[in-house]
Amino acid sequence: MRDDLQELVDEVSRVLAAPATLEDATFTLLAFCAHDDSGVDPMDAVRTRSILTRGSAPETRRWFEEFGIASTTRPLRTPADAAAGILTRIVLPVRHDERTHGYLWLLDDGRIDPDDDGDPALARAVELAAEAGRLLADRPAADLGRTLADALTGRPGARAQAERRLADQLSGDGAQVLVALAPAGGRLPLHWRLPAAGAVATVLDDGPVAVLLPLPTATDLRPAGALTAASLRSLPRGSAAGVSAVRSGTGALAGQWREACAAARVAAAVPRYSPVAHWDELGAWRLATELSAPDPALLPLLADPVLTETAEVYLDCAGSAVRAAEALRIHRQTLYYRLGRIAGLTGLDLADGDARLLLHAGLRAARLAGGSRPLRA
């Protein structure tokens, strides 16, 4: 297909007598052509970066999307920005079945009128853009990684379009989960590959791997178990994974991603959930993942590891001195002495329900902050 796209871009460049660049909907470079009848190929910062890096920076995408390129159905001119080194250009939307699959860019130096419906050259270029749309619509699921990234972190317009495209890849009743893989140390091993077929994966800018995994049914989580087990075997020791709640369709992927990242943070920080945590099984830990930091009143306590552990165990035992002392393997009088010191350091009355809730939630937030590499959805 790449040869077909290159021939198509060559033809567009010839017809409109201008350098042409073809990118998919995520601004990944697919093909380009320099029209050099004049001996000069007009270049600007955007075209140079696209050719050299096979893509565009997020801020560049946002700049062009502000002019409505994701929703237009006809040729459109985008303005120049001298300060940013951006030349004016014509964009032909690459569409199929009422969806935008990419963009054909022409550095025409302002010569072409995008509203001239009587221009035969422009009409032919529009036909070629439609043919490119048909080709891109038939791309295999292996090319969907950037689309998944758009669905999770893109702007609203790009996010909705990406969700629709990903929905086309789901089978059965459309049930799926998102999995967050958090490699220890924050980096994937060289040449790491996702050990799963039928899944769509992408590595986001802040490090975690996002995996969209279709399920046979909404109650069959065996594919998620197999994927996380195989993935963690190929990742460094200490890596963790989080699995979102099951959803049907792709309309809530951003929310699922927050769930998966939160579950991975708990798996990395709390031994009883390690190395894989499921959002639906986290209980009150789900609330702790929403806290950015513990209450300042807890800071003096957190400086003492022994008292911090004592407070955690005591509260996990629902305030039972008998059970907490047994779990800590200390005398009950020693426990009472420590509880008195905890109250003194924090100013909290441990007989008060609100104070216990503040302390318990803060201790869990501190554990997540200190026991795992932060994952941000």
Side-chain angles (χ1 to χ4, degrees):
M1 184 181 69
R2 192 166 295 276
D3 289 343
D4 292 338
L5 291 175
Q6 184 61 60
E7 291 178 5
L8 188 149
V9 171
D10 290 344
E11 179 66 8
V12 171
S13 180
R14 186 192 66 78
V15 167
L16 293 181
T21 303
L22 174 63
E23 296 178 326
D24 67 12
T26 65
F27 281 53
T28 298
L29 179 68
L30 302 176
F32 69 96
C33 176
H35 183 83
D36 58 0
D37 285 353
S38 64
V40 177
D41 179 15
M43 297 284 283
D44 64 359
V46 173
R47 179 171 164 85
T48 300
R49 179 183 175 106
S50 179
I51 292 173
L52 292 179
T53 68
R54 313 298 295 182
S56 297
E59 57 271 20
T60 301
R61 296 177 54 188
R62 288 192 292 269
W63 192 85
F64 281 108
E65 286 169 352
E66 288 178 356
F67 300 106
I69 64 170
S71 58
T72 186
T73 60
R74 55 177 296 115
L76 183 72
R77 178 169 297 286
T78 59
D81 185 339
I86 299 175
L87 300 175
T88 184
R89 55 197 359 101
I90 290 286
V91 57
L92 307 180
V94 175
R95 294 173 57 84
H96 184 72
D97 285 343
E98 300 184 351
R99 296 185 184 179
T100 298
H101 296 279
Y103 308 100
L104 264 166
W105 304 95
L106 285 302
L107 280 173
D108 67 326
D109 199 27
R111 293 181 295 102
I112 302 169
D113 180 0
D115 298 319
D116 185 359
D117 294 331
D119 183 345
L122 183 60
R124 173 56 179 157
V126 169
E127 292 177 357
L128 291 168
E131 174 63 14
R134 185 190 66 76
L135 292 172
L136 293 184
D138 293 336
R139 285 191 303 174
D143 291 338
L144 292 175
R146 291 287 295 274
T147 302
L148 177 57
D150 264 357
L152 301 183
T153 62
R155 293 166 65 87
R159 182 177 297 179
Q161 181 176 317
E163 288 172 348
R164 290 193 297 270
R165 184 177 176 206
L166 290 168
D168 293 340
Q169 307 303 312
L170 299 180
S171 57
D173 61 4
Q176 45 79 20
V177 292
L178 268 173
V179 177
L181 300 174
R187 293 196 174 191
L188 287 170
L190 191 63
H191 305 311
W192 184 83
R193 292 292 182 270
L194 181 72
V200 178
T202 186
V203 181
L204 298 180
D205 292 340
D206 54 356
V209 181
V211 185
L212 177 64
L213 181 64
L215 301 175
T217 68
T219 58
D220 188 353
L221 287 172
R222 288 176 299 175
L227 178 135
T228 54
S231 297
L232 290 172
R233 281 196 299 269
S234 64
L235 291 175
R237 183 183 299 274
S239 299
V243 182
S244 75
V246 179
R247 298 282 190 278
S248 292
T250 59
L253 287 179
Q256 278 186 283
W257 181 234
R258 288 191 292 271
E259 294 173 353
C261 287
R265 290 174 61 206
V266 174
V270 184
R272 71 187 177 97
Y273 289 106
S274 178
V276 181
H278 290 250
W279 174 256
D280 286 339
E281 299 173 354
L282 294 184
W285 279 99
R286 287 186 289 190
L287 301 178
T289 63
E290 297 295 325
L291 301 176
S292 58
D295 189 276
L298 274 60
L299 297 182
L301 170 63
L302 296 172
D304 188 319
V306 173
L307 293 182
T308 297
E309 180 190 22
T310 299
E312 269 195 296
V313 172
Y314 175 70
L315 294 169
D316 285 343
C317 291
S320 169
V322 174
R323 291 169 53 202
E326 290 178 352
L328 291 166
R329 299 181 180 180
I330 59 176
H331 193 277
R332 203 177 309 171
Q333 290 302 319
T334 303
L335 174 65
Y336 290 139
Y337 168 74
R338 292 183 183 178
L339 294 177
R341 289 190 61 196
I342 291 168
L345 285 173
T346 61
L348 298 174
D349 179 2
L350 299 186
D352 180 79
D354 283 345
R356 286 192 184 188
L357 178 59
L358 176 66
L359 179 57
H360 209 176
L363 289 170
R364 290 192 168 186
R367 178 182 283 267
L368 292 179
S372 66
R373 183 177 60 84
L375 289 176
R376 299 300 175 201

